[in-house]
Amino acid sequence: MGKVKHRRLDQLADLCRQVGEAMQRASVALLDADLALAEKVITGDAALARSRAACEEQLLAATDLRVVLAAVHAVDTVERMGDLALHIARAARRRHPGHVLPDELRPPFADMGQLAITLANTAEQVIRTGDPELVDFLDASDDVMDDLHRAVFTAVTREDWPHGVAVAVDATVLSQNYERFADHAVSLARRTSLFARSEFAA
């Protein structure tokens, strides 16, 4: 694999890493009502957009139309992951100085946040290596995220839920953000593992 090949894959992997870092900050902001971290994610979105544009420009230099389409989809998927981290950060800012989540939901959301970071980091490694075993790990982790999302939904819809409708809606939407982030990470890894050694990397 030549230098240009490495550069194309590395740019996509770097973009995935940046999105993972944004999700990490957003998750801490959510759990700790940390306005500074929330603002860092929100203001950092412009830099992320510039990275997306540079990455897409490199990837579109491939000559195989199938590879170009796959590359466009990959960048779009990472962009969606970044948007979900942004939504979480905005929720934390909107409720500041209060907490978005009641204490009883902090454990599952802490797990979802950590799992989302792991998924982004693993997707980054798949982009760099094309390792199919890492894709299997992502599939299993995505199942765990689905279970956590269901647990949150069950908690907020029980008859004795004590925190009101607004908190239930916030928690449900945030949980969906994490679930979708996981889905996108798995989709990204599956696609890039298939063409990591193709002309996408050429």
Side-chain angles (χ1 to χ4, degrees), residues 100-175:
V100 180
L101 303 169
D103 287 345
E104 67 186 89
L105 290 184
R106 287 176 59 82
F109 272 92
D111 290 343
M112 283 192 284
Q114 187 56 56
L115 189 55
I117 296 162
T118 299
L119 285 159
N121 291 342
T122 305
E124 176 195 348
Q125 291 306 308
V126 172
I127 295 166
R128 295 190 191 280
T129 67
D131 187 345
E133 292 185 5
L134 291 177
V135 180
D136 293 338
F137 170 78
L138 280 167
D139 282 331
S141 299
D142 187 35
D143 290 340
V144 175
M145 186 71 86
D146 290 341
D147 290 342
L148 289 166
H149 174 59
R150 281 191 290 269
V152 169
F153 184 76
T154 298
V156 302
T157 56
R158 71 177 193 265
E159 290 186 3
D160 61 343
W161 170 253
H163 304 291
V165 173
V167 175
V169 170
D170 279 345
T172 301
V173 171
L174 288 165
S175 182

Side-chain angles (χ1 to χ4, degrees), residues 3 17 26 46 83 93 119-120 126 157 166 198:
K3 290 182 180 179
R17 175 183 52 76
D83 288 344
R93 182 176 68 175
L119 285 159
V126 172
T157 56
S198 71

Side-chain angles (χ1 to χ4, degrees), residues 9 12-17 19-20 77-78 81 115-131 134-135 137-138 181-193 196:
L9 285 177
L12 182 60
D14 288 344
L15 184 59
C16 190
R17 175 183 52 76
V19 166
T77 299
V78 181
M81 292 167 69
L115 189 55
I117 296 162
T118 299
L119 285 159
N121 291 342
T122 305
E124 176 195 348
Q125 291 306 308
V126 172
I127 295 166
R128 295 190 191 280
T129 67
D131 187 345
L134 291 177
V135 180
F137 170 78
L138 280 167
F181 186 94
D183 289 342
H184 289 317
V186 173
S187 173
L188 175 67
R190 283 175 177 163
R191 285 178 176 270
T192 53
S193 69

